[in-house]
Amino acid sequence: MRTVPKFVIGNWKMQARHSYGLQLACDIARGIKEVPPPSFMHTVICPPFTQLAGVHDVLEKEGLNSDVFAMGAQDCYPAASGPFTGDISPQMLTALGARYVILGHSERRQNHGETNAVIRQKVKAATAAGITPIVCIGEHLAERNEGRAASILASQIEGSLTRGFRGIVAYEPVWAIGSGITPSHEELQRKLTLIRSLLPMRLMTDDIRVPVLYGGSVTSVQTPSIMSIKELDGVLVGSASLEAQSFLDIIRAATEATLPQSSS
Ligand code: PGA
């Protein structure tokens, strides 16, 4: 049986200044080289657009641009090229060495009015360009408190993913992002079971396992408990990915929490 890869993905958002970002990429790469994670553990860092070329150079220089350590972007436009001022196409991202792209993050859904339909167009365009989409879904606090989380997640899966989707899904409850609060183990387990049950309907097949990650205030402290959920394939990390040691600690914690499962 093929080993299912596990992912630790860092989303730097609009937060690392240029020189800091390049140094951060370098420090993470060196930490990974010092203690190489097993081959099933895939690390992805997603810098802002302006740092992609520089970070790509760092990864090349460190000999680390591969499945186990790759670079992603934080968004793309749903077309290959055209008169779209200020936008970046997925082809432009792959030309800079990006292998993944985060789509439908709640900050984009909220701040840029991105609908499920727009996100699905982006997924299509990214897939056509050969870049792996990481699609974020998750309910707001009010939706959770009103008992509407399940229907929100169902409509995001149905609306944002393409049929036969080949990418990664990240469950990021909006209320957990940047709040220091993570869902209880039981709640996370329930939501992931739900997401896993909804995916085959959208994928139109159940014979591929789409990796499902959790994101929202992840630190190395909660990582072992989060990663012990067997439906889960990794974590999407925001603020804790902006410091090399805290990100490396998460990679190590995720590896240790996964080792018994993957070697069985
Ligand atoms: P956070 O962000 O880890 O800072 O909560 C996660 C995300 O928004 O992807």
Side-chain angles (χ1 to χ4, degrees):
M1 214 178 87
R2 124 193 125 84
T3 318
V4 179
K6 303 287 173 184
F7 293 87
V8 174
I9 301 181
N11 174 10
W12 296 359
K13 309 192 181 183
M14 198 181 71
Q15 300 190 104
R17 273 184 305 131
H18 195 76
S19 54
Y20 182 85
L22 300 191
Q23 189 59 50
L24 179 58
C26 196
D27 292 346
I28 295 169
R30 292 197 175 149
I32 284 184
K33 275 165 75 175
E34 235 169 74
V35 187
S39 58
F40 67 79
M41 183 55 71
H42 294 194
T43 302
V44 182
I45 51 176
C46 302
F49 290 136
T50 52
Q51 294 175 20
L52 289 172
V55 167
H56 180 246
D57 287 348
V58 169
L59 301 199
E60 290 283 308
K61 209 158 84 212
E62 298 295 332
L64 272 177
N65 191 19
S66 66
D67 278 351
V68 289
F69 191 38
M71 184 179 75
Q74 300 173 19
D75 184 41
C76 70
Y77 192 78
S81 71
F84 304 110
T85 303
D87 285 309
I88 311 275
S89 76
Q91 283 76 2
M92 290 169 174
L93 300 177
T94 53
L96 292 181
R99 300 157 73 117
Y100 295 86
V101 61
I102 298 171
L103 297 175
H105 190 283
S106 62
E107 285 150 14
R108 294 214 55 96
R109 290 179 187 262
Q110 217 163 287
N111 303 338
H112 298 266
E114 289 192 11
T115 60
N116 289 326
V118 166
I119 295 157
R120 190 170 65 244
Q121 290 307 314
K122 293 186 176 196
V123 169
K124 269 191 202 151
T127 307
I131 189 164
T132 303
I134 303 161
V135 177
C136 301
I137 58 171
E139 80 284 359
H140 284 264
L141 186 60
E143 293 163 342
R144 169 183 178 256
N145 293 347
E146 289 158 12
R148 295 196 292 124
S151 66
I152 294 294
L153 293 174
S155 66
Q156 290 177 336
I157 286 174
E158 178 61 26
S160 317
L161 303 188
T162 45
R163 288 194 180 177
F165 174 76
R166 290 278 198 286
I168 296 172
V169 171
Y171 169 56
E172 297 208 308
V174 182
W175 48 274
I177 295 175
S179 64
I181 301 167
T182 50
S184 68
H185 188 84
E186 294 66 36
E187 177 169 357
L188 197 49
Q189 171 81 65
R190 242 185 303 118
K191 297 274 179 54
L192 289 162
T193 306
L194 170 75
I195 291 167
R196 281 255 165 254
S197 73
L198 291 167
L199 278 174
M201 279 183 265
R202 187 60 189 141
L203 301 176
M204 312 293 286
T205 170
D206 56 8
D207 66 357
I208 49 165
R209 184 176 163 108
V210 166
V212 179
L213 317 187
Y214 165 76
S217 299
V218 173
T219 67
S220 60
V221 176
Q222 303 96 359
T223 298
S225 154
I226 293 170
M227 290 299 290
S228 70
I229 298 175
K230 75 172 183 344
E231 287 82 2
L232 201 74
D233 302 297
V235 284
L236 178 53
V237 187
S239 29
S241 71
L242 286 167
E243 205 265 308
Q245 196 53 54
S246 63
F247 192 56
L248 290 165
D249 287 346
I250 292 174
I251 298 168
R252 273 174 214 140
T255 303
E256 276 162 29
T258 313
L259 271 173
Q261 277 171 244
S262 57
S263 57
S264 62

